[in-house]
Amino acid sequence: FARSLLEGVVTEFDNFYHQMQKSGLSARPKLVGSGNGIRQNRVLQQAIEGTFLTSVLIPVHTEEAAVGTALVCCCCHWTL
């Protein structure tokens, strides 16, 4: 049951990706996944890799939102 649920989620990711491509998004050669949902769930990673036919890159930082916020703050600070 769990695998089917995750594969359904990935199918929706794929549908959304194709809709974005129709709107002008160029193809992406790499996928980056963030958050514990993908970091700690190898079945989800495999489902994504199988659907998109590429590996999923997982950031080394475990608090992606905090790291991203810090990077944005640094960029904004130096450009003001």
Side-chain angles (χ1 to χ4, degrees):
F1 173 76
R3 180 176 286 277
S4 297
L5 176 66
L6 294 173
E7 288 173 354
V9 169
V10 173
T11 298
E12 291 304 314
F13 288 161
D14 188 48
N15 291 339
F16 184 61
Y17 176 73
H18 288 294
Q19 287 177 350
M20 292 184 343
Q21 282 185 311
K22 289 178 184 176
S23 297
L25 177 76
S26 60
R28 304 295 175 187
K30 297 179 183 177
L31 292 176
V32 177
S34 66
N36 287 334
I38 193 165
R39 179 184 306 284
Q40 297 179 1
N41 192 329
R42 187 65 190 140
V43 174
L44 179 57
Q45 291 174 27
Q46 290 170 346
I48 292 171
E49 291 171 345
T51 298
F52 288 91
L53 303 176
T54 187
S55 61
V56 176
L57 305 172
I58 306 294
V60 296
H61 304 289
T62 57
E63 295 297 331
E64 293 91 340
V67 171
T69 301
L71 291 172
V72 168
C73 288
C74 288
C75 292
C76 292
H77 172 74
W78 296 113
T79 59
L80 294 178

